[in-house]
Amino acid sequence: MYRAYRHIAASRRGRILTLTLDNPPLNAVNRALHDELSHIFHDVARDDGSDVIVLTGAGKAFSAGADLEEMKRATEDPALRSTLMSRAPHIVHALLALDKPVIARLNGHAMGLGATLALLCDVVIAADIARIADPHVGIGLSAGDGGALIWPHLIGYARARHHLLSGEALSATEAAAIGLIHKAVPPTALDAAVDSYADRLASGAILAIRATKRSINMALCREAIASTEAHIGLEALTMASNDHREAVLAFLEKRPPVFTGT
């Protein structure tokens, strides 16, 4: 079922399915991975051999967010911008609607869309060296790929406004302390913590667990259906701005951006 995926590796341990983002070096989300993410949770929903899902990243990062070289190309190619933006609602809707519990194993930094992917999961267990941020504003974009939806639900509007308007990162330990994620552990304890939690769910009353997840996510699913396309539209609007192009060029050229508000 998962052999066609080039940037997401699938492995099984009993009825626990692990999906590993695999786009070296930092699992940045390029067009190909974006496309795969928009499909894979539909496949997981139809996978009769799995009850619990673990989502993680290969190497040192969970996901560094968007691929900036591709974003540079998108500033000059409206068709590419449209393609990238059209995938995002499918990722959000499919992950929230999946009734199987999903554990995010945060092996390293989760930025932008990487943070959104992790936070849309049901339980996030992170290595305490990981950092989490949604720095869309830092590259001249609205946080439209699900960040504006999920951050306020997890930590309230006051804290979410600060982190989304400033792009300020949190350590995994700080994130756990304010309820953004479930737990932060030393890197050497991460596998044991994730395996133990996955085993606990897999050995439980899985029908009840899945029904409970559906109950918890009902309001989020309704809100996502009502707002995600509008959020993506606002992100697409900012993606066509001069400030976004300047931010991407500045990052690639390793210099501070000069924003003009246009």
Side-chain angles (χ1 to χ4, degrees), residues 46-248:
R46 295 190 295 269
D47 181 356
D48 293 333
S50 66
D51 288 325
V52 177
I53 315 304
V54 175
L55 181 64
T56 191
K60 296 181 178 180
F62 180 80
S63 173
D67 183 310
L68 287 176
E69 287 287 356
E70 189 160 84
M71 294 192 81
K72 178 184 176 183
R73 293 193 293 275
T75 64
E76 303 165 349
D77 185 347
L80 177 57
R81 289 202 300 271
S82 178
T83 297
L84 292 173
M85 291 295 96
S86 69
R87 300 293 192 270
H90 297 286
I91 299 171
V92 174
H93 297 323
L95 187 47
L96 287 176
L98 178 65
D99 65 352
K100 300 176 184 181
V102 184
I103 302 167
R105 175 187 175 274
L106 227 64
N107 53 303
H109 297 346
M111 300 290 158
L113 179 54
T116 298
L117 286 172
L119 298 179
L120 290 173
C121 295
D122 303 297
V123 176
V124 182
I125 301 175
D128 58 17
I129 58 170
R131 294 180 68 78
I132 305 168
D134 194 325
H136 274 72
V137 293
I139 54 170
L141 292 178
S142 169
D145 62 9
L149 170 72
I150 194 62
W151 284 69
H153 276 276
L154 294 173
I155 57 174
Y157 278 92
R159 284 192 173 108
R161 286 185 182 116
H162 167 67
H163 287 287
L164 294 176
L165 294 175
S166 69
E168 182 177 305
L170 303 94
S171 70
T173 302
E174 292 170 328
I178 65 172
L180 185 67
I181 67 172
H182 172 59
K183 183 186 294 186
V185 299
T188 54
L190 181 61
D191 285 339
V194 172
D195 288 349
S196 175
Y197 205 104
D199 288 340
R200 177 180 180 179
L201 294 179
S203 64
I206 198 64
L207 291 179
I209 290 170
R210 289 167 70 164
T212 299
K213 172 177 176 173
R214 291 177 64 186
S215 297
I216 292 169
N217 276 13
M218 279 182 184
L220 267 176
C221 287
R222 287 195 297 269
E223 186 171 341
I225 290 169
S227 63
T228 301
E229 281 75 9
H231 291 176
I232 293 298
L234 289 168
E235 184 173 358
L237 182 68
T238 55
M239 187 175 277
S241 69
N242 292 326
D243 276 351
H244 171 58
R245 177 171 173 78
E246 163 62 12
V248 172

